[in-house]
Amino acid sequence: MIKILFLTQNLGGGGAERVLVNLVNNMDKTKYDVTVATMFGGGVNEKFLNKDVKYFCKKAPLFPGVSQVMRFIPAKWLYKYFVGNEKYDVVVAFMHGVPAKVISGCTLKNAKKISWLHCGDMNKTSMFNCFPTFKSAVKAYGSFDKVLGVAKSVADAFSKKTGLTENVSYCYNVNDTNKIINLAKEEIDLEYKKPLVCSVGRFTSEKGFSRLIKISNRLHNEGVEHTLMLIGGGALEETIKAEAKELNEKVIFTGFQDNPYKYLSKADIFVCSSFFEGLSTATTEAIVLGLPTVSTNVSGAKEILGENNEYGLVVGMDDEDLYRGLKEMLTNEEVRNHYKKQAEIRGKFFNTENAVRETVKHFE
């Protein structure tokens, strides 16, 4: 049996945290002894861990600039503090940055080290900030037996930035497809005008919700009927609500939901308005539910929706590009129906069994 540890900051409400829970819950426990460890706290996804997954939390103090402080602490010390003396066959930093620095300090003689990358824009990420220098960060990532991007574009961007190519690969996120489909059947008690446009994510600047509200308002002013619904919570939630109110734009804010799929499944169109992603968990979940999708050209978008818009519309990064793509999907029912059928086809690729099988190959 392979004894494996996954280390991450917390199990909060983000897509990466949800993906980790999906992965460990669906691994074959006759082959893997699985432990999840969090550094700073649990979170809303902690309760979804199966009972056959071991879990511990260090509950270290979390404060602004903690990664800067860790720049000056040797990785071996950090590993000893956060992980301890337990022996593992595989140790995984499931998030780049601080967890990667910790796992780079592993001194277990025969343990294999893996680092996961969830960010596609290497110039905007903080993944190198916890190391004293960029050169030392490259050396640390070079010490891993595998560095795995959540998309090919992520792995390629990492190699271009660091010069590291050996042992750099990728595997797509694990979605619990049966769970998504079953939870999606739950009814919701909301009144709204169709078509319903939906986006899901943490309320942070990179998700682009502010610009999505402005685009929705512009379309309404042009007489393009629809309802916008935003699922999630986060630091900018009240700010973004205030922006919608100032525009007099009626947006449905659901707040964070344990079951976002009951809302997502009612949508006619899904939008990823992000400025950067690794591989958008919400987009893959929307495809699993067969939703016509518009996405900005963030990392991984074309890997989900096709290089030539086979399974959804991938538009440019500008507000105007997103406006035109969403307008086309809203005003052309033929296009919408086409992408609904294509999403149903593409969704089968992202099923749980495929993703877990491809992921565990890297552990074996």
Side-chain angles (χ1 to χ4, degrees):
M1 184 176 285
I2 298 174
K3 191 172 182 180
I4 183 167
L5 170 79
F6 293 88
L7 179 73
T8 191
Q9 289 104 318
N10 58 58
L11 288 172
E17 293 84 353
R18 197 155 68 246
V19 167
L20 175 57
V21 171
N22 291 340
L23 171 59
V24 298
N25 282 350
N26 286 284
M27 289 172 67
D28 184 349
K29 302 311 186 299
T30 65
K31 293 182 178 181
Y32 300 98
D33 180 340
V34 180
T35 300
V36 171
T38 53
M39 299 169 63
F40 303 111
V44 293
N45 276 298
E46 180 185 334
K47 62 178 175 286
F48 298 119
L49 287 170
N50 286 353
K51 291 181 180 179
D52 57 8
V53 176
K54 297 170 186 173
Y55 173 71
F56 71 87
C57 175
K58 185 64 182 177
K59 293 184 180 177
L62 181 61
F63 51 88
V66 66
S67 62
Q68 298 293 326
V69 172
M70 288 190 179
R71 293 178 66 186
F72 306 103
I73 304 175
K76 290 179 183 179
W77 294 9
L78 291 171
Y79 185 88
K80 182 81 171 174
Y81 175 75
F82 283 106
V83 180
N85 297 317
E86 189 74 21
K87 287 183 169 58
Y88 298 97
D89 300 303
V90 182
V91 286
V92 181
F94 198 72
M95 282 295 288
H96 47 255
V98 172
K101 179 166 184 179
V102 174
I103 295 299
S104 73
C106 175
T107 57
L108 293 172
K109 188 175 179 181
N110 297 314
K112 301 299 182 185
K113 297 185 294 185
I114 297 176
S115 178
W116 234 276
L117 308 174
H118 290 267
C119 180
D121 192 329
M122 296 297 144
N123 295 315
K124 292 181 179 177
T125 179
S126 59
M127 64 186 287
F128 305 111
N129 292 0
C130 55
F131 297 93
T133 63
F134 178 71
K135 186 176 179 180
S136 66
V138 173
K139 183 178 179 181
Y141 281 105
S143 73
F144 283 89
D145 296 280
K146 280 269 175 94
V147 177
L148 293 173
V150 293
K152 184 178 184 299
S153 51
V154 172
D156 290 346
F158 174 81
S159 291
K160 184 177 180 181
K161 178 76 174 179
T162 63
L164 298 172
T165 56
E166 192 175 350
N167 297 331
V168 178
S169 187
Y170 68 97
C171 59
Y172 294 127
N173 290 335
V174 175
N175 294 297
D176 195 333
T177 48
N178 288 335
K179 181 180 177 182
I180 290 170
I181 291 165
N182 287 329
L183 288 173
K185 296 173 184 174
E186 190 176 328
E187 292 301 318
I188 61 173
D189 185 21
L190 280 176
E191 291 185 7
Y192 53 86
K193 287 183 179 180
K194 291 176 76 70
L196 179 62
V197 177
C198 184
S199 195
V200 183
R202 282 179 292 195
F203 279 65
T204 54
S205 57
E206 64 264 24
K207 296 299 180 184
F209 288 159
S210 289
R211 70 166 169 184
L212 182 54
I213 287 171
K214 290 172 186 171
I215 289 168
S216 176
N217 182 251
R218 179 179 172 184
L219 288 166
H220 273 134
N221 290 338
E222 293 174 1
V224 180
E225 286 299 316
H226 65 282
T227 301
L228 177 62
M229 179 163 64
L230 299 179
I231 304 169
L236 295 181
E237 185 174 356
E238 293 308 314
T239 301
I240 291 170
K241 284 181 177 178
E243 290 171 353
K245 187 175 182 181
E246 188 176 338
L247 289 169
N248 199 28
E249 179 69 6
K250 292 180 180 177
V251 179
I252 297 174
F253 294 95
T254 70
F256 175 82
Q257 296 290 325
D258 282 344
N259 177 12
Y261 313 114
K262 64 181 179 181
Y263 295 95
L264 186 57
S265 63
K266 309 306 184 286
D268 299 287
I269 298 167
F270 175 80
V271 179
C272 173
S273 55
S274 296
F275 291 100
F276 59 93
E277 291 277 353
L279 185 82
S280 170
T281 302
T283 301
T284 56
E285 290 171 341
I287 289 296
V288 165
L289 290 172
L291 296 182
T293 296
V294 180
S295 174
T296 50
N297 191 18
V298 287
S299 176
K302 290 187 175 182
E303 291 173 64
I304 301 170
L305 301 175
E307 282 292 330
N308 299 297
N309 292 344
E310 291 92 338
Y311 305 105
L313 281 181
V314 180
V315 300
M317 297 300 294
D318 293 341
D319 294 6
E320 195 67 23
D321 298 322
L322 184 58
Y323 157 77
R324 285 196 295 266
L326 181 54
K327 184 174 184 178
E328 181 179 1
M329 197 72 88
L330 277 168
T331 57
N332 193 325
E333 193 171 350
E334 189 177 331
V335 169
R336 200 157 69 238
N337 289 337
H338 168 73
Y339 281 122
K340 181 174 176 58
K341 292 174 184 174
Q342 292 302 100
E344 290 166 358
I345 294 168
R346 185 59 169 164
K348 293 180 174 65
F349 175 82
F350 290 101
N351 70 55
T352 307
E353 292 75 16
N354 281 347
V356 173
R357 183 171 60 249
E358 291 303 310
T359 301
V360 298
K361 284 179 182 177
H362 297 287
F363 306 147
E364 293 168 358

